[in-house]
Amino acid sequence: MSSRPAAPSSSPVPRTALLVVLVAAMGVGPILNYGLSAVSPLIIEGLGISQSQFGLLAGAVFASAAVSSLSLGRLSDRATTRQQLLIIFGGTVVALLVAAVAGSFWVLLAAALLAGPAQSISNPTTNRVIVTSVPQRRRGGWIGIKQSGVQASQLFSGLFFPAVALWLGWQGAFGLAAVVAAGLLVFALAQVPAEAPRPRTTASRSSRGRLPFPVWLFAGFAFFSGLGMQATNVYLPLFAVRELDFPLVLAGAAAGVSGVVGVSSRIVWGRRMARGARPSGLLLVLALGAVAGVACLLAAGAWRTPALVWAGVALHGATVLGANVITNAAVLVVVPSERIGAASGVLAMGMYAGFALGPMLMGVLADATGAFDAGWLAVGAGYLVCAALALWLRRYGATHPWSAFQR
C-alpha cells in the first residue's frame, strides 16, 4: 500500500471560511432526519402512523444514502466542489420543502428518499477538499471539526424544530429549515472558487484495484456503530416522552445535549488522531463506552430514572458519535489521494446501511414488545460487534507495516 508524503511547509494555510463550509456541508444533510426525530410525537399523532412506520421514514433516508454512496463517492473524485455542494445543499432544500407540504406518510417518505443522496456525498466531498487543500499535519484536526457539523446539526434540530413546531406546526418547521439550508447554499457557493472538473481518466484509474482491507473493517465498524447511533438519535426523544414523561421540548433538548457533547468529542478524537493515536485503540474505547451508554438508557427506562437518561445521552455523544472522525481520518492515511472519494464512498455505504437498519429495527421491536428494552439490547449487541472489529483491526495492523497502525 502506498502512502503520501506530508504536505510541504510552504503549503498555503486554508481559509477559516472553507472550514465553515465543510462543517455546514456535513451538517445540512441530516437536518431532515434530526427534525423528524425532534418532533416525532407530533408527526406520529398528526399522520396517524405507527412507531415502525416512523422508523421506516428514518430508515428510508439512510437506505437512499447507502444505495447512492458508491456512485456518488466515485463522482466526487472528478466533479467540481461547487457541483457537489449543489447536490448536498440543494438536495436538502428540496427534501425539506417536500416535508413541509407533506400531508400523508407517503409524501414524507418521498422527502426522506430525496434527502439520502445529499448526505451520502457529504463525506467524500469534504474528505477530498481536505486532502487537496489542507496540509497533512492539520488534516486530523480538520476532520474532527468538519465531522462535528453533524452533531451541530443535531443540536440545532433538537432546539429549532420543537420550538418552531409549537409556533408554526411541524410542517412549518420544515419549511423554515428549508430557508436556512438555502441560505447556507448561497454562503457555500460564495466561498468556494470555480474550478475545472477533474479528468475522467483520473477517476477511471482510481476505481481500479482493491481498496486496502482496513477500509472494509472501517466500513463494518461504521455499519454497526451507525445502526446504534441512529436508532438512538431517532428514538431518544420518543423514548424520553413515553417512558419518562419528558415534555416535548425537554425531550428535544436531550437530543440537543447529545449533539453538544458530540461536537466536542469529535474535535477531541480528531486531535487524538492528528497526534498519532492508533485508530484501533480509539475505536475500541468508543465501542465499550457506547455499551455503557446503552446500559444507562436501558436502566433509565426500567427504573424510570431521568438522571440515567442524561448519563446515557452524554456517553452516546462522547463515544459513538466520534467514530466517524476516526474512521474518516484513518482512511485519508491508508488510501492514496486519487482514491479518497471511492474509499469514502465505501465507508459511507457501511455507515448509511447501519443508519437505515437501526431505526427500522428499533421501531419494529418497540411495536412488537410495547417497550424500548429489546431495542436497546439490540443496539448494545451492535456495539459489542464494534469492539470485536476494533480488536480485529488492531491485530491486523500489528502484522502489516502501515503507518496508520504503527504510529
Side-chain angles (χ1 to χ4, degrees), residues 126-191:
T126 53
N127 285 348
R128 171 155 289 284
V129 170
I130 288 175
V131 163
T132 57
S133 304
V134 180
Q136 190 174 46
R137 68 185 182 278
R138 302 183 63 188
R139 289 175 188 168
W142 273 57
I143 287 280
I145 294 173
K146 70 98 171 175
Q147 292 292 141
S148 71
V150 178
Q151 266 52 67
S153 176
Q154 184 177 17
L155 170 61
F156 167 81
S157 300
L159 300 176
F160 175 88
F161 280 91
V164 177
L166 294 177
W167 173 38
L168 298 175
W170 66 266
Q171 290 169 305
F174 282 103
L176 193 55
V179 175
V180 173
L184 291 173
L185 171 60
V186 173
F187 172 78
L189 294 179
Q191 299 301 321

Side-chain angles (χ1 to χ4, degrees), residues 16-207:
T16 301
L18 179 61
L19 182 56
V20 174
V21 170
L22 299 184
V23 171
M26 291 301 302
V28 73
I31 283 180
L32 178 75
N33 36 292
Y34 285 140
L36 290 173
S37 174
V39 293
S40 54
L42 299 180
I43 294 174
I44 289 173
E45 181 181 356
L47 298 182
I49 61 177
S50 67
Q51 292 178 110
S52 56
Q53 283 179 301
F54 179 75
L56 180 60
L57 289 174
V61 176
F62 302 122
S64 175
V67 168
S68 59
S69 288
L70 292 180
S71 59
L72 289 176
R74 290 191 293 267
L75 174 67
S76 75
D77 283 328
R78 66 170 185 267
T80 68
T81 301
R82 280 189 167 190
Q83 289 169 339
Q84 295 175 61
L85 291 177
L86 281 171
I87 295 174
I88 295 170
F89 290 95
T92 300
V93 169
V94 172
L96 290 169
L97 288 175
V98 172
V101 299
S104 71
F105 168 77
W106 298 107
V107 177
L108 204 53
L109 181 62
L113 292 172
L114 288 170
Q119 295 187 52
S120 67
I121 197 173
S122 60
N123 263 318
T125 298
T126 53
N127 285 348
R128 171 155 289 284
V129 170
I130 288 175
V131 163
T132 57
S133 304
V134 180
Q136 190 174 46
R137 68 185 182 278
R138 302 183 63 188
R139 289 175 188 168
W142 273 57
I143 287 280
I145 294 173
K146 70 98 171 175
Q147 292 292 141
S148 71
V150 178
Q151 266 52 67
S153 176
Q154 184 177 17
L155 170 61
F156 167 81
S157 300
L159 300 176
F160 175 88
F161 280 91
V164 177
L166 294 177
W167 173 38
L168 298 175
W170 66 266
Q171 290 169 305
F174 282 103
L176 193 55
V179 175
V180 173
L184 291 173
L185 171 60
V186 173
F187 172 78
L189 294 179
Q191 299 301 321
V192 175
E195 60 187 278
R198 285 174 284 275
R200 285 182 177 270
T201 54
T202 300
S204 297
R205 287 195 301 270
S206 71
S207 64

Side-chain angles (χ1 to χ4, degrees), residues 104-359:
S104 71
F105 168 77
W106 298 107
V107 177
L108 204 53
L109 181 62
L113 292 172
L114 288 170
Q119 295 187 52
S120 67
I121 197 173
S122 60
N123 263 318
T125 298
T126 53
N127 285 348
R128 171 155 289 284
V129 170
I130 288 175
V131 163
T132 57
S133 304
V134 180
Q136 190 174 46
R137 68 185 182 278
R138 302 183 63 188
R139 289 175 188 168
W142 273 57
I143 287 280
I145 294 173
K146 70 98 171 175
Q147 292 292 141
S148 71
V150 178
Q151 266 52 67
S153 176
Q154 184 177 17
L155 170 61
F156 167 81
S157 300
L159 300 176
F160 175 88
F161 280 91
V164 177
L166 294 177
W167 173 38
L168 298 175
W170 66 266
Q171 290 169 305
F174 282 103
L176 193 55
V179 175
V180 173
L184 291 173
L185 171 60
V186 173
F187 172 78
L189 294 179
Q191 299 301 321
V192 175
E195 60 187 278
R198 285 174 284 275
R200 285 182 177 270
T201 54
T202 300
S204 297
R205 287 195 301 270
S206 71
S207 64
R208 296 191 194 125
R210 295 180 179 179
L211 292 168
F213 182 64
V215 172
W216 301 99
L217 289 178
F218 292 140
F221 192 101
F223 171 79
F224 286 102
S225 63
L227 183 153
M229 183 193 306
Q230 283 306 320
T232 303
N233 287 342
V234 169
Y235 279 96
L236 179 62
L238 191 63
F239 166 74
V241 169
R242 295 196 171 176
E243 297 287 327
L244 294 122
D245 300 321
F246 277 33
L248 179 64
V249 173
L250 185 61
V257 167
S258 178
V260 170
V261 178
V263 168
S264 302
S265 73
R266 288 189 168 200
I267 294 172
V268 169
W269 296 123
R271 289 176 177 171
R272 289 291 305 277
M273 283 293 295
R275 289 197 294 266
R278 294 175 108 189
S280 57
L282 296 181
L283 291 176
L284 180 60
V285 170
L286 294 187
L288 296 178
V291 171
V294 171
C296 288
L297 294 174
L298 186 63
W303 300 334
R304 300 185 65 82
T305 307
L308 288 174
V309 172
W310 299 107
V313 163
L315 283 168
H316 176 68
T319 58
V320 70
L321 295 187
N324 289 340
V325 174
I326 297 169
T327 54
N328 276 279
V331 161
L332 297 191
V333 177
V334 302
V335 177
S337 60
E338 67 271 12
R339 305 196 67 192
I340 289 298
S344 297
V346 170
L347 200 61
M349 180 184 66
M351 178 179 68
Y352 288 120
F355 282 6
L357 180 60

